[in-house]
Amino acid sequence: MSGTLLSKEPEPYTATSPSIELVIEARPRDLGGFEVRRVLPSARRRLVGPFIFFDQMGPAAMTPGAGIDVRPHPHIGLATVTYLFEGEILHRDSLGSFQAIRPGDVNWMVAGRGIVHSERSSADERARGVRVHGLQCWVALPIEQEDCEASFQHHPAASIPRLERAGAVIDVVAGTAYGAQSPVVVASQTLYAHVLLAPDADLQVDDTHEERAVYVIEGIITCDGGTFAAGTMVVLRPGANVTVASAAGARVMLAGGAHLVGERFIEWNFVSSSQERLAQAKDDWRNGRFPRVPGDEVEFIPLPSA
């Protein structure tokens, strides 16, 4: 599905809604020549369920020879989840994991007390011209699991539950949705489902999770009298019975889960309930105390000066 579904920008949503708590528009961010749309964290909302960071990558096309080169960098206190609609990314981490992720697969990396990873394009992808489109998110860990051992899971697309309802195809990427459960091992109750809506289709949003949001990846949807375009996250009120629809077809992500107990702080690539722990992580990276990534040991992203 391509961006041609978006025919025009709708008017900003300003109505008071019994179902919609908040609408967040993604902000563009340049990651060194590669642009993403960033939704979370927002000044208006820090988390939805455990989701504390939410980026849409692309859709982007690079000239032959160019590619994605996210050099080794550290994380603590979170899990990263990568889900692609197009393209391929090679994941390496300090546990020794080496895994290509392709459309429909799920890479779920738990940082816990600390991990380092890199993401790059393969030589084959660079030769033919890299194309990439997907989502990269961080899930904050419960306080009692923030300092757990690091781990990495890869689940191929064929293992992800797929549900079909009238005019909707739903892939349960992580957690639970519509009575199905993903094989991804999560740390708290999680909703993360990829939905393709056919033209003139509608779908009632799973109502079994405390906090929920609908993110529009492609197309235009309507929800409770509002019209929302690609790059928009619609945060729903707890317990609301909500239906989304699309006249021309759309690609959306349902995200959320249980409310995360306790405050979380973010500094650079680190998440923690403790500012002292963040300071320690920064000092550890600055002084080379994190482990290295086998096969990608030369380059690294330095700690920002501010």
Side-chain angles (χ1 to χ4, degrees):
M1 188 176 292
S2 71
T4 56
L5 288 172
L6 181 55
S7 57
K8 64 177 181 178
E9 291 290 336
E11 293 297 317
Y13 181 80
T14 57
T16 300
S17 164
S19 300
I20 299 172
E21 179 179 316
L22 182 66
V23 176
I24 305 171
E25 301 292 341
R27 298 94 62 204
R29 291 288 185 272
D30 188 340
L31 302 184
F34 182 71
E35 188 172 279
V36 300
R37 291 174 168 180
R38 182 156 299 161
V39 190
L40 296 175
S42 163
R44 304 176 68 196
R45 180 88 179 213
R46 178 62 68 91
L47 299 100
V48 177
F51 287 87
I52 196 167
F53 183 94
F54 199 106
D55 268 5
Q56 180 181 348
M57 309 177 291
M62 302 181 183
T63 57
I68 297 170
D69 281 300
V70 181
R71 294 166 291 161
H73 58 282
H75 292 289
I76 66 164
L78 56 88
T80 67
V81 54
T82 303
Y83 188 76
L84 297 180
F85 314 120
E86 182 179 18
E88 176 189 88
I89 297 175
L90 296 182
H91 164 95
R92 284 184 171 90
D93 64 42
S94 52
L95 299 174
S97 312
F98 176 47
Q99 179 65 57
I101 183 170
R102 301 182 178 92
D105 298 348
V106 183
N107 273 7
W108 186 280
M109 184 185 75
V110 177
R113 68 186 58 177
I115 198 168
V116 182
H117 75 133
S118 65
E119 296 162 299
R120 300 185 186 268
S121 298
S122 68
D124 289 345
E125 286 281 294
R126 293 174 197 270
R128 59 176 167 256
V130 168
R131 299 181 64 86
V132 66
H133 187 200
L135 297 177
Q136 286 199 312
C137 302
W138 299 352
V139 174
L141 298 176
I143 290 175
E144 65 274 14
Q145 296 185 44
E146 286 185 316
D147 203 36
C148 68
E149 294 287 345
S151 63
F152 175 76
Q153 304 174 53
H154 172 80
H155 297 273
S159 70
I160 302 303
R162 170 164 288 186
L163 311 174
E164 296 191 14
R165 301 198 168 191
V169 178
I170 306 160
D171 294 310
V172 184
V173 178
T176 60
Y178 302 99
Q181 181 168 341
S182 167
V184 176
V185 178
V186 296
S188 60
Q189 187 184 44
T190 302
L191 167 66
Y192 198 46
H194 170 226
V195 179
L196 287 173
L197 286 173
D200 296 320
D202 59 46
L203 177 70
Q204 183 174 334
V205 178
D206 182 283
D207 61 1
T208 59
H209 295 272
E210 182 180 5
E211 297 185 0
R212 299 167 295 159
V214 181
Y215 178 71
V216 186
I217 301 161
E218 293 180 314
I220 295 175
I221 67 167
T222 57
C223 177
D224 199 13
T227 304
F228 307 99
T232 305
M233 176 173 278
V234 182
V235 182
L236 307 177
R237 297 188 189 279
N241 189 329
V242 180
T243 296
V244 297
S246 180
R251 184 194 299 271
V252 304
M253 210 77 178
L254 309 181
H259 175 73
L260 200 67
V261 176
E263 187 173 5
R264 294 300 186 280
F265 304 101
I266 303 177
E267 284 202 41
W268 192 39
N269 297 317
F270 304 130
V271 170
S272 181
S273 59
S274 163
Q275 291 181 317
E276 290 77 13
R277 180 68 183 93
L278 293 177
Q280 181 63 58
K282 290 190 294 182
D283 188 66
D284 287 345
W285 183 247
R286 186 185 297 113
N287 290 287
R289 290 191 288 267
F290 273 86
R292 294 190 176 185
V293 177
D296 201 346
E297 298 175 310
V298 176
E299 296 184 302
F300 66 92
I301 299 177
L303 185 75
S305 57

